[in-house]
Amino acid sequence: MDTKGTVRIKLESTSDSSLLCDETNNCIDEMVQEMQQKDREKQIPVATNATVTDQHNQQDEHDENAFYNIHSVLPKTLKMRTGESKIVLEPKLASRLYVSSNLQYDRTMMNRADVWHQVIVHHENSFCSKTKILEALYAKFSYCDFFPVAYRRHINVDFFLLRMCNQVLTKMFEDGLKLKLGQTELAISVRLGAARFQTGQIFPRQTITKAVQERCDNAAQYGSSNLLNLDSFAEHMCLQELCINLSNRAQFEVVCSAIAQVMGDNNCINTLKLSNNGISHISVLASAKSLRIVSLDLRGNRIKHPSSLRGLKQMPLMELYVSGNHLTEVPDYEKVLHSIFPDLLKLDTNLTQPMVAKIARVIDEEEEEEVELTSPGTLITEADMNPAAFQKYNLTPHWHKVTVQHNGVCNKQDILDALFNLLGRHMFFPCYYKTYSKEDEFLVQNCFDALLVLVKQKLRLPMSANNIVLKLSLAMNVAEASDKDVQPLQKLERFVIKRFKQSCLDLCSMQTELNKCKFVDFSAKSPCTLRYMMECAARKFGNTCLVLRLRHNELKNCEALESLAKFYTLVSLDLRYNMISKITDLKGIPWNNITELFLDNNPMCGTMHTSMEYVRKIRQYFGMLKQLDGQSLVGNFAQCQNYICVPEAYKFAESFVKHYFSMFDSFQRADLHELYHPKAQFSMTCDFGLDGANIAEEQMNSQQMRQASYIQHSRNLLKFGGNLDRAMSMLIVGNERISYVLTSFPKTGFDFHSFRIDVPVFTPERVMIIVHGRMSEDEAANLGQSYYMGFTRTWLIQPCGMGTNLFHEALEYKINNDMLHMYDMTVAGISVNPTFGQTSDRNKSTLEEDSAMDTTSSDTDDRENALIVFKQLTKLNQQWSKRCLEESSWNLKVALNIFLKLYESKRIPKVAFQDDIP
């Protein structure tokens, strides 16, 4: 009898004496087996697989309460409960045991397809159950090929086998062979090539397909003959040796492929049940979208957002069950699902009415699909927030995911406004935006500069409206780009083309229509968005666009209008009702040929103290301007004047006033003496606060000192106390003395639009002109101060002879008497003329009503466009152009035909081509 038999006899006798317990017998038996194995290895160098298998048949039974020795070199046989061939673990033939301190693995061995790799999870009898460990693994490797086989649990460790799952093993090594389980971190050991793969052993993909086929073949036993019931699919008897969790994309892809195959062969099945499977990548089911599935049960899964079901929109669903998914927490998820499945009659327990499909569709718009995430991506950590380290993501064509953690304190619009305010200068288009209760997420592509700004901000998003800062997270390269993904730039181009009509590019109130764009969010006030639209419009319509309208877009500046230089025929620009706050916000507008500009109802208009200042500053950017805010700048001296005179005096008064004050404001002020008679008289009076005050010169401020320079020439009779001689001495006589006094006054700027001109006397013998208005001093403005003074000026003008040379037939007039009165301006006097820019409070409500009507009705805009285009094409003035269009019912083509016929027949007078008379 051999040694083993001898020992057993002794054990039996000892057992009869009850000297050793069963546990001691087992330990001694294991020691004997190990001694025998060493003897055999000395006698027989190589043992066949059959011999090893026969010798260890007794090890097939698995005991979860047993201790597993990971350092043991004994072969271990794993018997498959589902009938496949056994798998024998052979530690001696495997690689060394890799742990967290040894991460330099053998890549060649890992990539072999003819071996099994053993993954060991150390839990050391903690409270980590098999379910929790698998959930952590599937959450970590949800995008990878992950098919754990022969999961065995022991009192100290759990282990399972993997084959052809190289990506999972690589990530395990990259993570330092650690597995986070909540707050606990478990160690992992890996043994590459732990067993040989042989024919007849379990094949995960084939096993899953067989399980689906079995459910289909026995459909009646699982509920109904027309039902493919895959509820709790992991509990299928055929899958006991294979860990199944359909939250893993690869596993669910196999299941969906099998569903398409078995339902394609069985036309009776039209109902699919996939409840309680942990599914999160539901778009994978799109492989079965061509099947006639009228009822789909997805309850108890992990689908995050209703929009992820868009890939199934071709399914003719009439019933859909989604309760128990996170998507039910999304606001208005029912509306989203009804938009995807318009024929839906039942959603969970609620009966619904099918939506009427829209007939009108954009034919040339390509079908765009939801992007399915194929990878968890690379999460940007604190170490990656270095801009230099982040450069490795430049020029990558993949999609990146941005997650905004808001805890329900902000809505989508607040977040988008903050993002565009921070990133508006860079190419940035949030796509596939999804809203959740605690966080929102979206995808971006080709926007490295914008993401770099977020990285420099340490992934913090300031919310000025809420006075908080939100935390962001970036996951790079979560999906590859394809031709069916949303194309933001193409959408903007289509938008521009749609808004161009009859030589007018109408981009008013863009945000309302941009909000209707599918899968992408735009901001009309974003400089980057507007810049691209203008560049696109310049390429397509630069030679034909006459009118550009940009009302109601909340534009803060004009830096995005650089492409105006490429609008070669543009004559009219409308920037009304925006947020342009100062004149420097017009920077960025290049030199142009624009003759008509609208800027009213911008905050900038309220900063202008005079209409003259307003016009002068605007002309710095629009040198060809003829009309501003609907008012003509040609002959603007008479635009807002009230005359008390006969009609014959209009031209004379306008010419004289324009000529006199233009010289007064220029460097040629000394030449004014030529306008005065050699014996002309000039007198002035002042009404300032200094008149009766005794203030020392050193105590005067700059304004008071300038007022004092006027007061010294004042001949106010009350101030002289009846002393006529002194009053007469203040009368300035002679054109030379008058010129000297006038040139001693500071440099001024007259507000011509504030003028009120009266001509009470207009005869061949004499003309009296009275001008009321206001003026400012440029010297004060240069010091950052603004002082305004009102004045009244009265001239008595008389003919003094005939002109010379070419004007020998004209009468020559000279000023015989000039009286000037100056006074401080009141608050009302400083307000800007309502004609330009600023609107009085009295009319504010009326203008707001007009603004609302302007945004809802296109008739007025169409007529304005037609009038501008017609004037530009025919060169007729405003009156004749409007007349032609009115007689043609504002039909541009008809009006042009009428014009051509009248022009060919020479029935249009020359006056029709002259500039408009104000």
Side-chain angles (χ1 to χ4, degrees):
M1 186 175 293
D2 59 9
T3 305
K4 182 177 181 181
T6 304
V7 174
R8 287 191 179 279
I9 291 173
K10 291 181 179 181
L11 289 175
E12 288 172 2
S13 61
T14 307
S15 177
D16 293 338
S17 304
S18 302
L19 298 176
L20 295 174
C21 64
D22 293 339
E23 184 176 357
T24 305
N25 291 338
N26 293 335
C27 293
I28 296 175
D29 190 31
E30 183 175 350
M31 293 173 60
V32 171
Q33 291 178 15
E34 189 170 349
M35 292 172 60
Q36 285 181 328
Q37 179 64 25
K38 291 181 179 179
D39 292 339
R40 289 193 183 92
E41 290 176 356
K42 293 179 180 178
Q43 298 175 4
I44 306 174
V46 179
T48 62
N49 290 335
T51 305
V52 174
T53 304
D54 293 339
Q55 290 176 352
H56 299 285
N57 280 339
Q58 296 181 4
Q59 297 183 24
D60 292 345
E61 296 299 327
H62 173 62
D63 184 5
E64 291 190 358
N65 295 319
F67 182 88
Y68 182 72
N69 183 9
I70 63 172
H71 300 292
S72 174
V73 295
L74 291 176
K76 182 178 181 62
T77 302
L78 304 179
K79 182 179 179 181
M80 298 294 103
R81 291 166 291 181
T82 49
E84 294 88 356
S85 298
K86 303 170 185 177
I87 301 176
V88 180
L89 298 179
E90 301 176 272
K92 281 193 172 183
L93 301 179
S95 67
R96 62 187 301 180
L97 188 67
Y98 295 101
V99 295
S100 59
S101 60
N102 177 26
L103 300 176
Q104 301 298 321
Y105 59 91
D106 186 351
R107 295 182 181 274
T108 303
M109 176 64 76
M110 180 186 290
N111 294 329
R112 287 177 58 177
D114 61 337
V115 294
W116 294 95
H117 309 300
Q118 185 182 21
V119 179
I120 305 169
V121 182
H122 300 260
H123 53 74
E124 306 301 337
N125 198 21
S126 64
F127 295 99
C128 299
S129 63
K130 172 184 176 181
T131 302
K132 290 183 178 180
I133 292 175
L134 284 175
E135 285 183 354
L137 288 168
Y138 278 111
K140 190 174 185 63
F141 307 117
S142 61
Y143 293 92
C144 307
D145 289 353
F146 187 46
F147 298 91
V149 170
Y151 193 101
R152 297 293 185 265
R153 183 167 178 81
H154 292 273
I155 195 170
N156 59 328
V157 299
D158 288 9
F159 72 81
F160 55 87
L161 305 182
L162 293 176
R163 190 176 75 88
M164 299 177 66
C165 297
N166 303 344
Q167 191 176 3
V168 170
L169 292 171
T170 301
K171 289 189 175 183
M172 285 183 179
F173 279 97
E174 291 176 351
D175 294 341
L177 293 180
K178 301 288 184 181
L179 177 65
K180 286 188 177 181
L181 197 66
Q183 300 297 327
T184 306
E185 189 174 69
L186 303 181
I188 296 177
S189 299
V190 175
R191 183 177 280 121
L192 301 178
R196 295 175 180 173
F197 174 74
Q198 297 178 347
T199 304
Q201 292 179 352
I202 188 170
F203 192 84
R205 297 177 185 271
Q206 187 178 13
T207 302
I208 294 174
T209 302
K210 288 181 180 179
V212 175
Q213 184 68 55
E214 189 276 334
R215 288 282 179 98
C216 179
D217 294 341
N218 302 289
Q221 299 179 15
Y222 294 102
S224 174
S225 59
N226 70 329
L227 167 67
L228 177 57
N229 189 351
L230 300 183
D231 177 66
S232 303
F233 185 61
E235 300 176 4
H236 196 285
M237 291 298 297
C238 297
L239 305 175
Q240 292 183 61
E241 292 293 346
L242 179 61
C243 298
I244 292 295
N245 190 321
L246 299 189
S247 65
N248 179 261
R249 180 185 176 90
Q251 290 192 9
F252 192 42
E253 283 179 348
V254 177
V255 171
C256 292
S257 178
I259 291 172
Q261 180 180 346
V262 300
M263 291 187 66
D265 298 336
N266 189 338
N267 296 327
C268 296
I269 296 180
N270 61 4
T271 302
L272 178 61
K273 190 172 186 179
L274 284 168
S275 53
N276 304 312
N277 283 305
I279 298 171
S280 57
H281 305 283
I282 187 60
S283 60
V284 177
L285 189 59
S287 60
K289 62 185 178 182
S290 60
L291 303 174
R292 182 168 179 77
I293 300 177
V294 297
S295 179
L296 179 62
D297 189 347
L298 297 173
R299 286 174 288 190
N301 286 295
R302 299 175 181 176
I303 305 172
K304 294 180 64 177
H305 202 275
S307 63
S308 58
L309 274 71
R310 293 188 190 277
L312 312 180
K313 60 184 177 182
Q314 294 184 8
M315 287 185 179
L317 290 182
M318 301 177 68
E319 292 182 350
L320 179 62
Y321 302 90
V322 294
S323 60
N325 286 274
H326 297 302
L327 68 85
T328 58
E329 301 175 4
V330 177
D332 298 328
Y333 77 94
E334 299 97 337
K335 293 182 179 179
V336 178
L337 292 176
H338 278 293
S339 66
I340 299 172
F341 307 107
D343 298 327
L344 206 60
L345 296 176
K346 187 176 182 181
L347 178 59
D348 290 327
T349 58
N350 300 322
L351 296 177
T352 62
Q353 295 293 331
M355 293 180 62
V356 179
K358 295 183 179 180
I359 300 176
R361 298 189 61 182
V362 180
I363 299 176
D364 58 345
E365 184 173 357
E366 298 179 1
E367 289 294 329
E368 296 164 340
E369 297 181 356
E370 186 91 12
V371 169
E372 175 66 16
L373 305 187
T374 56
S375 169
T378 304
L379 189 65
I380 301 300
T381 63
E382 291 288 340
D384 298 317
M385 286 189 195
N386 185 342
F390 193 72
Q391 289 291 332
K392 61 185 176 182
Y393 297 107
N394 196 1
L395 302 179
T396 175
H398 295 76
W399 287 98
H400 315 298
K401 184 172 74 171
V402 181
T403 303
V404 184
Q405 300 173 6
H406 54 74
N407 293 323
V409 299
C410 301
N411 57 32
K412 174 183 177 181
Q413 193 58 51
D414 293 336
I415 294 173
L416 287 176
D417 288 343
L419 285 168
F420 284 118
N421 183 54
L422 179 64
L423 308 172
R425 298 176 182 272
H426 304 285
M427 193 73 71
F428 181 72
F429 304 113
C431 300
Y432 306 106
Y433 195 105
K434 294 179 175 58
T435 302
Y436 302 102
S437 57
K438 300 295 184 181
E439 64 182 28
D440 288 9
E441 64 183 34
F442 56 86
L443 302 182
V444 292
Q445 182 190 25
N446 299 325
C447 59
F448 173 78
D449 292 337
L451 295 182
L452 183 60
V453 172
L454 296 181
V455 169
K456 291 180 179 179
Q457 290 279 119
K458 301 299 182 183
L459 296 181
R460 296 292 189 270
L461 178 64
M463 305 287 294
S464 56
N466 305 79
N467 198 24
I468 58 175
V469 178
L470 301 184
K471 184 178 180 181
L472 308 177
S473 63
L474 292 181
M476 310 301 291
N477 302 334
V478 296
E480 294 184 359
S482 71
D483 295 338
K484 293 186 178 180
D485 298 342
V486 63
Q487 304 293 331
L489 298 183
Q490 291 184 7
K491 286 183 177 289
L492 290 180
E493 289 183 11
R494 287 196 290 265
F495 178 83
V496 170
I497 295 173
K498 181 180 177 182
R499 288 294 193 101
F500 186 76
K501 183 180 179 182
Q502 291 187 353
S503 300
C504 173
L505 180 58
D506 188 354
L507 299 180
C508 299
S509 306
M510 292 189 290
Q511 193 62 58
T512 302
E513 188 171 348
L514 289 175
N515 288 340
K516 300 177 182 178
C517 290
K518 186 179 178 182
F519 295 142
V520 60
D521 289 286
F522 295 107
S523 174
K525 59 185 176 182
S526 169
C528 178
T529 301
L530 182 57
R531 181 180 292 108
Y532 183 82
M533 295 173 71
M534 297 304 299
E535 290 175 354
C536 176
R539 291 194 304 268
K540 295 180 178 296
F541 313 118
N543 294 321
T544 57
C545 182
L546 299 176
V547 183
L548 174 60
R549 302 198 184 282
L550 288 166
R551 294 195 302 264
H552 295 287
N553 286 313
E554 298 184 25
L555 302 181
K556 294 183 178 180
N557 53 61
C558 298
E559 65 181 44
L561 301 182
E562 300 169 352
S563 298
L564 284 183
K566 301 177 183 178
F567 285 76
Y568 304 110
T569 60
L570 188 67
V571 295
S572 178
L573 176 63
D574 189 347
L575 291 170
R576 286 176 285 185
Y577 299 98
N578 282 296
M579 302 298 294
I580 302 173
S581 58
K582 52 186 182 298
I583 192 68
T584 54
D585 291 337
L586 295 177
K587 288 183 178 179
I589 295 181
W591 179 257
N592 52 78
N593 295 320
I594 293 174
T595 60
E596 183 178 52
L597 176 67
F598 296 91
L599 275 173
D600 53 287
N601 288 279
N602 277 280
M604 175 190 69
C605 299
T607 65
M608 301 297 174
H609 298 285
T610 66
S611 301
M612 188 63 184
E613 176 189 7
Y614 179 52
V615 174
R616 184 174 65 252
K617 290 185 176 181
I618 296 300
R619 272 184 163 164
Q620 295 176 6
Y621 301 93
F622 301 92
M624 308 292 290
L625 201 62
K626 294 182 179 179
Q627 282 195 328
L628 178 59
D629 298 339
Q631 299 295 327
S632 175
L633 299 183
V634 178
N636 52 24
F637 297 98
Q639 185 63 37
C640 303
Q641 300 165 5
N642 297 320
Y643 285 93
I644 301 178
C645 62
V646 293
E648 292 79 8
Y650 286 178
K651 193 66 176 178
F652 182 91
E654 179 180 347
S655 299
F656 176 81
V657 172
K658 178 180 179 181
H659 181 64
Y660 186 93
F661 285 112
S662 296
M663 290 186 66
F664 198 97
D665 281 345
S666 71
F667 63 92
Q668 298 177 323
R669 186 186 297 182
D671 296 338
L672 286 175
H673 75 278
E674 296 181 356
L675 299 181
Y676 289 85
H677 191 275
K679 296 182 179 181
Q681 298 178 356
F682 171 73
S683 63
M684 66 171 295
T685 56
C686 300
D687 187 10
F688 300 134
L690 292 175
D691 288 356
N694 295 320
I695 303 176
E697 183 176 348
E698 58 272 9
Q699 296 178 346
M700 293 183 181
N701 57 31
S702 58
Q703 180 186 8
Q704 292 171 336
M705 292 182 66
R706 281 191 299 275
Q707 290 178 350
S709 65
Y710 294 110
I711 293 175
Q712 66 178 337
H713 299 291
S714 176
R715 62 187 300 265
N716 192 328
L717 298 182
L718 294 177
K719 184 177 65 174
F720 297 141
N723 190 340
L724 296 180
D725 293 336
R726 188 179 176 189
M728 289 298 296
S729 66
M730 298 299 297
L731 181 65
I732 301 170
V733 181
N735 58 351
E736 295 295 339
R737 289 190 62 198
I738 293 174
S739 176
Y740 176 79
V741 172
L742 295 180
T743 53
S744 67
F745 291 163
K747 184 174 175 55
T748 57
F750 288 90
D751 182 5
F752 292 98
H753 296 283
S754 68
F755 284 8
R756 290 178 292 113
I757 304 175
D758 298 330
V759 189
V761 178
F762 186 76
T763 65
E765 293 80 19
R766 64 186 60 85
V767 177
M768 180 179 285
I769 300 177
I770 304 174
V771 179
H772 307 272
R774 61 184 166 208
M775 55 183 285
S776 65
E777 296 182 345
D778 286 357
E779 291 182 0
N782 292 335
L783 296 174
Q785 302 170 335
S786 298
Y787 298 117
Y788 298 89
M789 294 177 290
F791 72 91
T792 299
R793 198 149 197 169
T794 304
W795 291 290
L796 181 62
I797 305 173
Q798 292 179 316
C800 62
M802 305 299 292
T804 60
N805 298 328
L806 295 177
F807 305 98
H808 66 280
E809 295 182 356
L811 288 174
E812 182 179 5
Y813 286 85
K814 296 287 186 179
I815 302 173
N816 280 54
N817 197 308
D818 183 2
M819 293 182 291
L820 172 62
H821 176 66
M822 303 179 67
Y823 54 91
D824 280 325
M825 289 294 293
T826 62
V827 175
I830 298 176
S831 63
V832 179
N833 192 327
T835 304
F836 287 93
Q838 189 74 358
T839 304
S840 62
D841 294 335
R842 177 172 54 88
N843 297 325
K844 188 171 291 184
S845 60
T846 305
L847 284 175
E848 290 176 353
E849 294 176 2
D850 293 341
S851 173
M853 295 176 62
D854 184 57
T855 58
T856 56
S857 174
S858 61
D859 290 343
T860 303
D861 285 347
D862 290 342
R863 292 188 177 187
E864 287 184 9
N865 297 342
L867 183 59
I868 294 172
V869 173
F870 189 80
K871 285 176 58 179
Q872 187 69 18
L873 295 177
T874 63
K875 305 303 180 183
L876 292 174
N877 58 32
Q878 182 96 355
Q879 181 180 0
W880 276 79
S881 297
K882 187 175 181 180
R883 178 180 175 184
C884 289
L885 286 168
E886 288 177 346
E887 293 180 357
S888 306
S889 299
W890 291 93
N891 188 313
L892 184 60
K893 292 183 178 180
V894 175
L896 288 173
N897 289 329
I898 293 175
F899 167 76
L900 291 175
K901 291 180 180 179
L902 293 175
Y903 186 78
E904 291 174 355
S905 60
K906 299 182 179 180
R907 296 172 59 186
I908 301 179
K910 292 182 180 181
V911 70
F913 296 97
Q914 296 178 357
D915 291 338
D916 298 321
I917 300 176

